[in-house]
Amino acid sequence: MPSYTSKSLLSALMGAASVAAHGHVTNIVINGVSYQNFDPTSFPYMQNPPTVVGWTASNTDNGFVAPDAFASGDIICHRDATNAGGHAVVAAGDKVFIQWDTWPESHHGPVLDYLASCGDAGCEKVDKNTLEFFKIGEAGLIDGSSAPGKWASDQLIENNNSWMVQIPANLAPGNYVLRHEIIALHSAGQANGAQNYPQCFNLQVTGSGTDKPAGVLGTKLYTPTDAGILANIYTSPVQYEIPGPALISGASAVEQSSSAITASASAETGSATAPPAGSATAAPATTTTTAGSDASATPSSSSSSAHPFGYYHCRRQHPAPDPVPWPEAPPPRP
């Protein structure tokens, strides 16, 4: 039987792995212009962190929101989230490239994207509890022929830990929160086992569109027993139903690809009539590169090497009985 000291050492190692394992969005790219996101691992420790387009949150451990918090404000834009101080400008119909620093291979699941109108006051001041989100993008199970299947999260990893989403072409101009989310399902075979990783960004959408889709309050997007939340991905063939509201009319499936960075820009704090176009209106970046290799958004060289405990490394943050009650749970990763 392991000694108390051995158990303590293992617990400490698993704790360290859980912090390093999960990722966060480092930056978003619009028409070649990169905007910095809130960094939960460094900004909270700065006396004067920069004003960015991403919402502030308390997930300094790169952690998640569990299903038992779905009725709380934490599910909206992550734990204890508060409004971003600035925004980026994007034209309706343009694409937003979202770059994560890393994502663990064991954390299979869907990738979802929503928008919510902030009204005339702007997203820097809106009460997050009043935001009504409509879904503009979703991808879930790609191949379920064998467990645990191939998922949108795997596609994100293959695309250098990045994801592309398109702003609907006929969306009415205005201020919107873009809510981007990965749901990790490696522990979702048990109650309260799914892990939601929402990230929010402020956008000012320009154009001449007229669509104003109806949305759903963030606290009403999911329930803990939704088929796409309480789901066992370790029984073949894998079947899955993406949770949340249906895609709005006019939402477009986007081919996943990289986006070249030609410039970087600070978050806007006023209003603008058009988005920046490359280096013409923004300070040039020191190098011309793709978002995946941007110096401020370089993912780790190997997702699996950063997560030596595989799908068990979240057990410290998300306790579960031993053994985990999955019918065909895979063995621990080395």
Side-chain angles (χ1 to χ4, degrees), residues 128-220:
K128 66 182 180 182
N129 296 292
T130 66
L131 292 171
E132 297 185 359
F133 291 93
F134 50 91
K135 188 184 289 182
I136 62 170
E138 64 177 18
L141 182 63
I142 297 171
D143 181 359
S145 57
S146 62
K150 182 173 182 178
W151 295 81
S153 61
D154 300 309
Q155 191 174 15
L156 178 143
I157 293 171
E158 292 172 356
N159 198 38
N160 209 11
N161 300 313
S162 62
W163 197 256
M164 190 83 78
V165 62
Q166 185 171 20
I167 305 301
N170 201 38
L171 186 67
N175 304 300
Y176 294 87
V177 169
L178 171 62
R179 182 181 183 275
H180 170 74
E181 178 179 41
I182 306 176
I183 305 178
L185 302 172
H186 56 290
S187 297
Q190 59 189 351
N192 207 42
Q195 300 178 2
N196 291 58
Y197 296 82
Q199 309 262 292
C200 286
F201 317 95
N202 289 350
L203 299 178
Q204 180 188 344
V205 176
T206 64
S208 56
T210 56
D211 285 355
K212 297 181 178 181
V216 178
L217 293 173
T219 53
K220 302 292 185 181

Side-chain angles (χ1 to χ4, degrees), residues 10-305:
L10 179 60
S11 176
L13 290 172
M14 292 180 70
S18 68
V19 171
H22 311 112
H24 61 269
V25 173
T26 57
N27 61 302
I28 64 172
V29 183
I30 300 171
N31 294 324
V33 180
S34 178
Y35 297 87
Q36 188 176 13
N37 183 37
F38 172 78
D39 185 343
T41 65
S42 64
F43 281 20
Y45 310 106
M46 294 181 182
Q47 185 173 0
N48 295 299
T51 298
V52 294
V53 300
W55 281 49
T56 297
S58 66
N59 56 316
T60 55
D61 58 353
N62 271 336
F64 56 87
V65 179
D68 59 9
F70 282 177
S72 78
D74 285 353
I75 191 60
I76 299 173
C77 291
H78 221 312
R79 300 195 304 245
D80 303 315
T82 57
N83 306 52
H87 61 271
V89 182
V90 60
D94 279 352
K95 297 175 183 176
V96 179
F97 184 80
I98 302 170
Q99 179 72 60
W100 290 72
D101 64 332
T102 189
W103 188 254
E105 295 175 359
S106 60
H107 285 37
H108 304 290
V111 179
L112 312 171
D113 290 283
Y114 300 84
L115 286 173
S117 173
C118 300
D120 294 337
C123 299
E124 289 85 346
K125 297 180 180 179
V126 71
D127 179 353
K128 66 182 180 182
N129 296 292
T130 66
L131 292 171
E132 297 185 359
F133 291 93
F134 50 91
K135 188 184 289 182
I136 62 170
E138 64 177 18
L141 182 63
I142 297 171
D143 181 359
S145 57
S146 62
K150 182 173 182 178
W151 295 81
S153 61
D154 300 309
Q155 191 174 15
L156 178 143
I157 293 171
E158 292 172 356
N159 198 38
N160 209 11
N161 300 313
S162 62
W163 197 256
M164 190 83 78
V165 62
Q166 185 171 20
I167 305 301
N170 201 38
L171 186 67
N175 304 300
Y176 294 87
V177 169
L178 171 62
R179 182 181 183 275
H180 170 74
E181 178 179 41
I182 306 176
I183 305 178
L185 302 172
H186 56 290
S187 297
Q190 59 189 351
N192 207 42
Q195 300 178 2
N196 291 58
Y197 296 82
Q199 309 262 292
C200 286
F201 317 95
N202 289 350
L203 299 178
Q204 180 188 344
V205 176
T206 64
S208 56
T210 56
D211 285 355
K212 297 181 178 181
V216 178
L217 293 173
T219 53
K220 302 292 185 181
L221 289 172
Y222 316 115
T223 73
T225 56
D226 285 347
I229 299 296
L230 186 59
N232 182 0
I233 66 173
Y234 296 104
T235 300
S236 295
V238 185
Q239 297 182 343
Y240 186 70
E241 179 181 332
I242 296 176
L247 284 170
I248 64 166
S249 174
S252 301
V254 179
E255 181 179 355
Q256 295 304 312
S257 60
S258 294
S259 178
I261 293 177
T262 58
S264 61
S266 299
E268 296 279 351
T269 55
S271 60
T273 57
S279 58
T281 58
T286 55
T287 58
T288 300
T289 181
T290 61
S293 58
D294 179 27
S296 66
T298 302
S300 61
S301 58
S302 170
S303 298
S304 58
S305 65

